[in-house]
Amino acid sequence: MRLGSIRQGITWLVVTTSLLLAGFALIVLSLTHIKQLNQLTEQRVEDMTTVIANVSSRFLLFRDAEGIDDYFRQFSDNEFLQHIHVYEANVVAEQNALRYFASYNREGLAPIPVRTEIVDEINGLRSNSNSIEMVMPIRIDSEVLGYLYLRADRKPTRELILQTIVTAFVVWLVLVLLAWVIAMSVRGQLLRQLDQAVGTIQRITRNRDYSIRLPESNLIELQQLGLAFNTMLARVEQNLVRQQQAEKQALDLNTELERQVQQRTTALREANSDLLATLETLHQFQRQQIETEKMSSLGDLIAGVAHEINTPVGLVITSTSILRDKLDLLNEKFNDNSITRADFERFIEASADNLELIQRNIERTADLINQFRQLAMDQLAEEEKTFLIAELCRTVVNQSRQRLPELATIDVRIDCPEELEVTCRMGPLQHVLAELVQNSVIHGFAERHYGEIEIKVMRTAPQQIAITYRDSGSGIPAELERRVFDPFITSRRRKGSTGLGLHLVYNLVTQVLGGTIEVSSKHRGGAEFTLKIRA
């Protein structure tokens, strides 16, 4: 913020006010004087034109051109007149016409052309920046003998106007100097006491001596300021005394507080030591608990893998052993030459049954290994593409109906905007939806042959969509809901389920699609999966 002073304010106020008033008055007077000069010049031209017209009338009457030229020579010393033309009125074919009669041109000026038409153009007096022109009829009694054209120079008038402007400017400069002198005088008289008051205040501030008081003044404003400032100084002295007392009390209180803080700090330090020891114990217990859970999960995983593979492998071994015994028996009879057609037929029938059992269990083992391999998701790590998700949902439902005949009696509804486009990995998303549909058919509608499945898709953010999958099946058992995404967790282990479907869904959503999945079950009222993925 720019600072100013009262001295400068008063000086500029007086000077500016004086200059504005003086300038306005001088401008008004100058304009009035210039207007009067112009009026006097025009009046002079009009008077001279009248006089010359009256004198020229008798020369026109007697057609004395030489006489009028002699008359015009007396104006040779007049620098005001520039040109004089006299035109004689002539009646030709009953029409008025003008004819040049005589003229005067000031020495040093070129003659102007004869322009009889100027009589009609100039109606009385005409003025411009350089000259004044006037046309007046030359009469004797009421008869018009001709016309007089006169042009006068405005240079003398312009010189007088310039003198007026210069004089006004000089007067204005004198007034500026006079106003400055008056302002300095007024400022010195008015601000002397104010300077004394400012000096006293500066001394009080510099020495911090609040017992000093401002002197009295004969100016009402300064007197009121002094009274108010002296009152403030008295209150400051009182506040200083109170502040010193308060500081002494605060010092005593701080000493007591420091003592109490030191005692409590010592107690808090001891409590912190005990707390750190407790936290270290809790951390050790937590690490042990995590290790225990990891070992438990690893044990469950190993047990599940072992159980799923051990069953078909055990059946293969049993069938192979049976087939081996049959082959040994047939070989023994063949060596004894006691083999019969019935024995060979029974061997062939038993071999076919056991080979079929072996092939079925080996295929199941291969399928299990393929499911384990899918958990790595290497074959699903494709590039992202843009597609209509409504078409993808319909494709999943149609393919599921061909693969799962049980889906024919289940009503599948898709709630998705047709124009909704997403950009993500289409293969993993298609696999997730197919696994959810298969999970509903195998688990949710295992005990019934009717129900509903709803797939609802909506955009929740510029780069995110939410897919809500719900069915009206039997729901998820309460004891399995918390671990439904763990591997080998299933309620139909004895009916061929491996418990890897939802674990694969979880891995695809969280690792490949970069999203989240949550599950909730109404227990006998269906299951609901909520997926949020980047798309």
Side-chain angles (χ1 to χ4, degrees), residues 114-132:
V114 175
R115 295 177 56 194
T116 57
E117 70 276 6
I118 200 171
V119 175
D120 296 329
E121 294 178 3
I122 300 178
N123 184 12
L125 189 70
R126 185 174 69 176
S127 177
N128 54 46
S129 60
N130 296 320
S131 62
I132 301 174

Side-chain angles (χ1 to χ4, degrees), residues 256-363:
E256 179 63 22
L257 287 176
E258 288 178 358
R259 186 184 61 80
Q260 295 180 3
V261 167
Q262 187 175 4
Q263 292 178 352
R264 294 182 181 181
T265 301
T266 303
L268 183 60
R269 187 179 296 110
E270 296 175 356
N272 285 338
S273 300
D274 296 340
L275 181 59
L276 289 174
T278 303
L279 285 176
E280 182 63 25
T281 304
L282 288 176
H283 287 161
Q284 292 178 359
F285 177 76
Q286 185 179 14
R287 286 194 293 270
Q288 293 175 359
Q289 187 71 20
I290 292 173
E291 292 295 330
T292 301
E293 291 182 359
K294 287 170 62 177
M295 295 302 296
S296 176
S297 298
L298 182 59
D300 292 341
L301 178 62
I302 294 174
V305 172
H307 179 271
E308 293 298 330
I309 294 180
N310 187 54
T311 300
V313 170
L315 291 175
V316 169
I317 293 174
T318 301
S319 298
T320 304
S321 177
I322 294 173
L323 187 60
R324 183 71 139 170
D325 293 341
K326 296 286 185 181
L327 182 60
D328 291 340
L329 180 60
L330 183 64
N331 188 32
E332 183 179 349
K333 289 184 178 183
F334 178 76
N335 292 330
D336 296 339
N337 293 323
S338 61
I339 186 172
T340 63
R341 180 181 181 87
D343 293 334
F344 192 74
E345 289 178 351
R346 284 194 298 272
F347 175 75
I348 292 176
E349 182 179 356
S351 298
D353 292 340
N354 283 279
L355 288 174
E356 181 181 359
L357 181 62
I358 291 171
Q359 181 179 3
R360 188 166 57 249
N361 283 277
I362 289 177
E363 289 176 353

Side-chain angles (χ1 to χ4, degrees), residues 59 64-76 102-103:
F59 294 108
D64 185 5
E66 294 180 359
I68 199 169
D69 287 338
D70 293 336
Y71 172 70
F72 286 161
R73 289 191 186 96
Q74 65 178 339
F75 298 116
S76 60
S103 66

Side-chain angles (χ1 to χ4, degrees), residues 352-514:
D353 292 340
N354 283 279
L355 288 174
E356 181 181 359
L357 181 62
I358 291 171
Q359 181 179 3
R360 188 166 57 249
N361 283 277
I362 289 177
E363 289 176 353
R364 183 182 177 188
T365 303
D367 185 53
L368 286 172
I369 295 174
N370 185 51
Q371 292 185 27
F372 297 153
R373 187 173 59 84
Q374 286 182 353
L375 295 179
M377 293 166 290
D378 292 336
Q379 72 279 15
L380 296 174
E382 61 181 23
E383 296 294 330
E384 293 184 348
K385 62 177 66 176
T386 301
F387 56 90
L388 295 174
I389 193 169
E391 295 182 0
L392 177 68
C393 294
R394 287 193 290 269
T395 301
V396 170
V397 173
N398 293 333
Q399 292 178 353
S400 299
R401 290 188 187 278
Q402 296 175 3
R403 186 166 46 89
L404 302 170
E406 299 90 343
L407 198 61
T409 59
I410 298 174
D411 183 19
V412 181
R413 296 197 307 272
I414 300 174
D415 183 4
C416 176
E418 292 293 333
E419 68 281 1
L420 179 58
E421 286 189 346
V422 298
T423 302
C424 67
R425 294 173 177 173
M426 184 172 66
L429 181 58
Q430 183 175 357
H431 199 85
V432 166
L433 296 176
E435 285 289 342
L436 292 177
V437 173
Q438 180 175 338
N439 184 75
S440 296
V441 172
I442 295 176
H443 297 279
F445 301 106
E447 307 298 333
R448 64 179 76 174
H449 301 289
Y450 60 90
E452 296 178 352
I453 294 176
E454 181 182 7
I455 303 175
K456 183 176 181 180
V457 185
M458 61 185 299
R459 184 170 291 283
T460 57
Q463 299 295 328
Q464 185 185 69
I465 62 170
I467 302 176
T468 302
Y469 178 92
R470 63 171 64 93
D471 62 36
S472 60
S474 59
I476 302 173
E479 66 275 7
L480 298 181
E481 184 173 349
R482 189 175 63 87
R483 303 179 59 196
V484 71
F485 294 121
D486 292 348
F488 304 108
I489 300 300
T490 178
S491 60
R492 296 174 58 84
R493 185 175 302 279
R494 299 183 181 276
K495 298 180 180 180
S497 295
T498 60
L500 294 176
L502 290 182
H503 180 63
L504 177 61
V505 167
Y506 180 83
N507 288 342
L508 288 174
V509 172
T510 58
Q511 298 182 28
V512 178
L513 298 175

Side-chain angles (χ1 to χ4, degrees), residues 7-215:
R7 290 185 176 85
Q8 294 177 350
I10 292 176
T11 303
W12 285 111
L13 178 63
V14 174
V15 173
T16 303
T17 304
S18 301
L19 294 182
L20 290 177
L21 292 176
F24 179 74
L26 289 174
I27 290 173
V28 172
L29 292 176
S30 298
L31 293 177
T32 304
H33 184 63
I34 291 171
K35 182 178 180 182
Q36 290 176 354
L37 287 175
N38 288 327
Q39 290 176 351
L40 289 174
T41 302
E42 292 174 357
Q43 184 64 41
R44 181 182 178 187
V45 171
E46 186 175 355
D47 293 342
M48 292 182 68
T49 305
T50 302
V51 172
I52 295 173
N54 291 333
V55 174
S56 300
S57 61
R58 71 172 185 270
F59 294 108
L60 275 178
L61 179 64
F62 297 104
R63 300 181 61 78
D64 185 5
E66 294 180 359
I68 199 169
D69 287 338
D70 293 336
Y71 172 70
F72 286 161
R73 289 191 186 96
Q74 65 178 339
F75 298 116
S76 60
D77 296 331
N78 191 336
E79 297 182 356
F80 182 64
L81 290 177
Q82 288 182 328
H83 304 282
I84 302 174
H85 282 195
V86 178
Y87 300 100
E88 179 184 7
N90 186 23
V91 178
V92 179
E94 298 181 356
Q95 294 182 356
N96 292 329
L98 296 179
R99 185 174 59 187
Y100 172 77
F101 183 73
S103 66
Y104 162 76
N105 297 293
R106 194 175 71 194
E107 184 178 357
L109 295 179
I112 61 175
V114 175
R115 295 177 56 194
T116 57
E117 70 276 6
I118 200 171
V119 175
D120 296 329
E121 294 178 3
I122 300 178
N123 184 12
L125 189 70
R126 185 174 69 176
S127 177
N128 54 46
S129 60
N130 296 320
S131 62
I132 301 174
E133 298 174 319
M134 186 170 183
V135 173
M136 180 176 287
I138 302 174
R139 290 187 177 91
I140 292 180
D141 294 334
S142 60
E143 181 182 359
V144 177
L145 300 179
Y147 288 89
L148 174 68
Y149 167 76
L150 185 143
R151 174 186 282 182
D153 192 1
R154 291 187 62 90
K155 182 178 179 180
T157 305
R158 291 199 303 270
E159 292 176 352
L160 291 175
I161 292 174
L162 181 59
Q163 291 177 1
T164 301
I165 294 174
V166 172
T167 303
F169 182 72
V170 172
V171 173
W172 184 76
L173 290 179
V174 173
L175 291 176
V176 169
L177 182 59
L178 182 61
W180 181 265
V181 173
I182 294 174
M184 297 298 291
S185 177
V186 172
R187 186 181 74 175
Q189 293 179 4
L190 293 179
L191 298 181
R192 186 178 299 109
Q193 297 183 16
L194 181 60
D195 291 339
Q196 295 176 356
V198 171
T200 303
I201 294 174
Q202 291 176 346
R203 189 168 67 254
I204 294 172
T205 304
R206 183 171 56 252
N207 300 329
R208 295 185 180 181
D209 185 3
Y210 301 103
S211 61
I212 302 175
R213 296 294 183 265
L214 291 180

